[in-house]
Amino acid sequence: MARDPKPTSSARVYSSRDIGSTLLILLCAVIGVGGLIALLKLRLPWDPTLASEIADRQLLGKPPTVQQYIDLSMWWAALFACLTGFALLAASRLWTTRSLPLTALNLPEQKPAYSRALVWCLLAAITIGSGFIRSQRLDHSFWNDEETTIQDYAWGEYVRPDLNSPVEPLKFKPVKWSDTLFYNRGGSNHILNSAVTKITLDTWNGVTGHDTPYFSETVARIIPFLASLATILLLGWAAWRAHSPITGIVAAATLGLNPWHLRYSTEIRGYSLMLLLIVLSVVFLYLALNTGKRRYWLGFALAEAGFMLAFLASVYVAVTINLAALAAIMIWSTSGKARLHGLARIAAFNLLAAVVFVMLVAPSIPQFSDYLKNPLFEGFAPNWFGDFYHHLTLGIPPWSVSPESNLGLTAPQLFSESPWIRPLVFWIIPIALFVGGVAFLRRPRAAFLFVTALAAAPVLSYVHNRISDSPALPWYVLYSVLPFALLCGAMCTSPNWLPGLLPRKRQALSITLAIVWLGVYGLATQQSRVRLCEVPRQPLRGVAEAMRGNSPTYANPVITDEITGSIGFSIKRLRSYDPHVFPLKNAAQLRKLVQAADHQNRPCVIAACGGELLHEDKADAACLAFLKDPKNGFSPTERILGFEEQFSYQLYRRPASGLPKEREN
């Protein structure tokens, strides 16, 4: 982070205009005028014709179209942009002018015993090693949530063939940009990630010249993968500059070893980008407060809007970051003018961030409201804290499952094989986190701001969702891995508190403690990392290969061999790997599929996803009973297991009936 700036003449403080001020004023004018033009051109949300169109779709049991959701919300977003742009324009003298540092958040002195080159080499080595571990997951099959991104928001899908027309060629339906940015079924669109994934796949296909729509798991995951490595490096650098070299090195290594971060580092969802942008926003915020430079304020605004667009549930981080900044401005401002100027700037740049965020997320609001009327699950998740803490520390769930039902790993299995890990998780790590918190509070103000803003966010999220009984899941606070790594890093500096020791001895003890911590934590989480790297969460590609002998099958527009179907969890998600598959919601649809197979004299293969969990749903249980009934001719064959039972498969095969084939049209 930047050093304290040199003193500037008071005549230029808080009042001078320059090119930076002019550009910010022009930006506000563009926002205001652009919002006004949009207000005049956009469809009014209370238009009676729009209400009638939506009512007609609801009578048919259909939700509004994406365009109708845009019409319902974008006018209000334009109004917000218009009012914000002109308000910021009117108050431009309060926040656009050049200024001195707003607060005295000085950095700790860098001790000469530490070589900057050595610290950089260690951080680079940690990042490279973390990249090697994460690269082993790049070619895993997509799983359910990633398939949602691929099919609905970033790539597209092949239109399902007609059951009664076995030779109908597949037709690809690409995702339009309006769907990428504004379609948000059930809040499942991580908008920034969807846009990045679409650009990545479109660019790759353009460069490689594929004749047909094509996707590669490795290519699609390259941006989240790189973002995860940038997060490790940036977190280490920031902790080094805000606290100490030991803190930065250990924080980076802890994050690199953390299995929860590993799991989401190569997933084409918004989590990896969110973590990078959160760290970047805190760094920019510190630089903005400590230097007063407007480019850092603008960087903060863009990073803040970015991490909320990457994952909407990270809004709690935005709240705590800004509360920490307000506290810094109110307590540590260098003067009364600096305090007023700081308050004006944080308000102005938050409004700029809000304009970016609101314009892109506005159509998602009515979609999410409709989803909450009939959500997939209701109420705060049971055993939330136990689930969260086990994933935070070990990256695995706390419940017991049969090892025959999946290839994953759970905490009871790990504790049974390595009993020493239990006291580490429930005694040593909590003490280490407490000591790390004390270490940060003993350091300069920059460290206090940095760790408080990040550590308070998951607490705020938990309290709010617990009180409101909202359907929040533990990975909604995945950003907890950032303060976890930071506190573990700061814990290793605790020998500096020991009285009566020479600085070199304290330094040696800190290095020893860091080596012990990383060795113990790395060993405790080794099995989790190995299993996460070896086992795909949901083996969709493997299932498609077992059903047809090859995958993906979209390269074959006409399939005349097996008729395939899927029951249970995630029934639609096989269609990226086998677009010819028929998702089956009940036993009646399954019988119809079997009748078609008999009529066309084709074998039938059904993939049942969910194992014993299928018995918990009446429709799935009925399908399973049909498949197991010997009279229906199905035999269980391959079992293809994923990391969890919910995403593991059992295949059922039925030979051709021997009836004459239907003549091709």
Side-chain angles (χ1 to χ4, degrees):
M1 297 182 185
R3 299 181 180 276
D4 294 337
K6 295 179 180 180
T8 304
S9 170
S10 59
R12 300 176 61 191
V13 178
Y14 310 124
S15 60
S16 61
R17 295 284 190 187
D18 60 356
I19 186 65
S21 301
T22 303
L23 291 175
L24 288 173
I25 289 172
L26 286 175
L27 176 62
C28 293
V30 168
I31 292 172
V33 174
L36 181 60
I37 294 173
L39 286 174
L40 298 175
K41 289 190 172 184
L42 287 171
R43 194 174 185 182
L44 296 175
W46 55 84
D47 186 342
T49 306
L50 176 61
S52 177
E53 293 171 357
I54 294 174
D56 290 343
R57 289 186 60 84
Q58 291 174 338
L59 289 175
L60 297 174
K62 298 179 180 180
T65 64
V66 174
Q67 184 57 52
Q68 287 167 346
Y69 278 124
I70 293 173
D71 293 337
L72 282 172
S73 57
M74 197 56 77
W75 189 91
W76 298 108
L79 177 63
F80 174 76
C82 179
L83 295 177
T84 300
F86 287 127
L88 291 177
L89 197 60
S92 62
R93 185 165 291 276
L94 293 176
W95 64 278
T96 63
T97 54
R98 194 184 275 181
S99 71
L100 289 177
L102 303 177
T103 61
L105 297 176
N106 297 320
L107 289 167
E109 293 294 329
Q110 295 299 301
K111 297 180 180 180
Y114 291 107
S115 165
R116 292 174 62 88
L118 176 60
V119 176
W120 274 119
C121 287
L122 289 173
L123 290 177
I126 290 167
T127 304
I128 293 170
S130 301
F132 173 76
I133 296 171
R134 283 152 177 75
S135 66
Q136 299 173 66
R137 290 176 50 84
L138 285 172
D139 63 348
H140 279 196
S141 169
F142 290 139
W143 77 286
N144 181 81
D145 288 15
E146 291 180 293
E147 281 296 314
T148 300
T149 298
I150 285 291
Q151 293 181 6
D152 296 343
Y153 308 126
W155 183 61
E157 61 181 342
Y158 284 88
V159 178
R160 186 180 67 182
D162 186 349
L163 183 60
N164 297 316
S165 180
V167 296
E168 179 179 350
L170 293 174
K171 296 179 181 178
F172 185 71
K173 181 183 178 183
V175 169
K176 295 182 287 189
W177 269 106
S178 59
D179 291 341
T180 299
L181 298 177
F182 302 126
Y183 177 44
N184 202 346
R185 179 177 55 82
S188 59
N189 187 0
H190 298 178
I191 297 171
L192 179 61
N193 168 76
S194 298
V196 168
T197 304
K198 182 173 176 59
I199 292 171
T200 302
L201 290 174
D202 289 349
T203 302
W204 176 258
N205 285 333
V207 170
T208 55
H210 284 103
D211 296 331
T212 58
Y214 172 84
F215 70 81
S216 160
E217 294 96 337
T218 300
V219 171
R221 290 179 171 135
I222 197 66
I223 297 301
F225 168 71
L226 294 176
S228 73
L229 302 186
T231 304
I232 293 169
L233 183 62
L234 183 62
L235 184 75
W237 172 78
W240 164 28
R241 296 296 290 120
H243 197 261
S244 75
I246 288 287
T247 302
I249 292 166
V250 175
T254 300
L255 188 61
L257 293 170
N258 185 271
W260 210 20
H261 184 255
L262 167 64
R263 166 176 282 190
Y264 292 103
S265 291
T266 54
E267 187 168 305
I268 53 168
R269 303 289 283 160
Y271 309 114
S272 187
L273 286 170
M274 171 194 71
L275 294 176
L276 172 61
L277 290 169
I278 285 174
V279 178
L280 200 58
S281 68
V282 174
V283 170
F284 276 134
L285 180 58
Y286 167 77
L287 292 172
L289 291 172
N290 202 50
T291 67
K293 293 182 178 180
R294 291 156 297 190
R295 61 173 178 266
Y296 295 135
W297 280 108
L298 189 59
F300 163 68
L302 292 175
E304 182 182 42
F307 72 67
M308 290 192 293
L309 288 170
F311 185 48
L312 295 179
S314 62
V315 65
Y316 299 100
V317 182
V319 172
T320 56
I321 285 176
N322 281 286
L323 287 176
L326 286 173
I329 291 170
M330 296 302 296
I331 298 172
W332 296 313
S333 289
T334 54
S335 66
K337 282 188 175 181
R339 182 177 295 112
L340 178 62
H341 204 68
L343 293 174
R345 280 206 167 174
I346 195 169
F349 283 97
N350 267 288
L351 284 172
L352 289 177
V355 169
V356 177
F357 177 73
V358 169
M359 291 301 294
L360 288 171
V361 85
S364 296
I365 296 173
Q367 295 178 73
F368 195 66
S369 298
D370 289 346
Y371 163 75
L372 289 178
K373 296 174 184 176
N374 186 26
L376 292 176
F377 59 93
E378 296 182 2
F380 197 71
N383 192 29
W384 188 96
F385 187 79
D387 192 0
F388 159 74
Y389 184 70
H390 282 82
H391 277 96
L392 175 66
T393 54
L394 299 172
I396 52 179
W399 48 77
S400 297
V401 296
S402 170
E404 297 179 356
S405 65
N406 66 87
L407 295 177
L409 183 68
T410 65
Q413 290 174 276
L414 186 62
F415 295 155
S416 176
E417 296 172 7
S418 305
W420 65 272
I421 297 178
R422 183 187 292 272
L424 172 71
V425 170
F426 294 111
W427 290 99
I428 305 298
I429 289 180
I431 293 173
L433 295 177
F434 175 78
V435 172
V438 174
F440 262 108
L441 292 176
R442 290 170 58 92
R443 298 294 290 178
R445 298 164 181 173
F448 168 79
L449 170 69
F450 192 63
V451 77
T452 300
L454 295 176
V459 177
L460 177 63
S461 174
Y462 175 82
V463 171
H464 174 253
N465 287 290
R466 185 74 177 181
I467 293 174
S468 60
D469 197 29
S470 299
L473 295 170
W475 66 81
Y476 291 6
V477 292
L478 176 65
Y479 44 79
S480 302
V481 297
L482 300 176
F484 175 79
L486 286 169
L487 293 175
C488 290
M491 174 270 300
C492 295
T493 66
S494 56
N496 291 328
W497 311 343
L498 298 175
L501 290 180
L502 295 175
R504 286 187 177 182
K505 289 187 176 182
R506 293 178 182 175
Q507 179 182 331
L509 285 175
S510 293
I511 294 173
T512 302
L513 183 57
I515 293 172
V516 170
W517 161 252
L518 293 177
V520 170
Y521 185 68
L523 185 61
T525 54
Q526 174 65 8
Q527 289 191 57
S528 299
R529 286 192 302 276
V530 169
R531 202 70 62 91
L532 285 166
C533 290
E534 291 179 348
V535 181
R537 189 168 186 180
Q538 185 175 6
L540 291 170
R541 190 193 323 120
V543 172
E545 289 174 349
M547 293 171 79
R548 295 199 183 275
N550 67 318
S551 174
T553 62
Y554 55 71
N556 305 318
V558 178
I559 291 288
T560 59
D561 49 9
E562 294 92 353
I563 285 185
T564 57
S566 59
I567 67 168
F569 292 95
S570 192
I571 58 173
K572 294 182 180 179
R573 300 310 166 196
L574 265 171
R575 292 181 56 198
S576 289
Y577 292 95
D578 179 14
H580 306 270
V581 73
F582 291 92
L584 305 170
K585 297 181 180 180
N586 51 55
Q589 293 182 357
L590 177 55
R591 292 190 188 95
K592 185 178 179 181
L593 186 71
V594 172
Q595 291 170 2
D598 286 344
H599 189 58
Q600 300 164 18
N601 192 29
R602 296 166 66 187
C604 185
V605 186
I606 304 297
C609 180
E612 293 301 315
L613 299 175
L614 292 177
H615 293 290
E616 298 177 3
D617 181 86
K618 290 183 179 180
D620 291 336
C623 289
L624 202 58
F626 181 91
L627 294 172
K628 291 182 177 181
D629 188 342
K631 295 184 298 184
N632 297 317
F634 283 94
S635 300
T637 55
E638 300 96 322
R639 291 192 71 193
I640 305 171
L641 303 181
F643 199 86
E644 305 165 33
E645 181 180 11
Q646 182 178 358
F647 299 121
S648 296
Y649 287 83
Q650 173 69 62
L651 299 189
Y652 293 86
R653 294 184 182 273
R654 184 178 188 271
S657 65
L659 295 174
K661 283 190 176 182
E662 181 183 65
R663 288 184 301 174
E664 296 183 2
N665 294 328

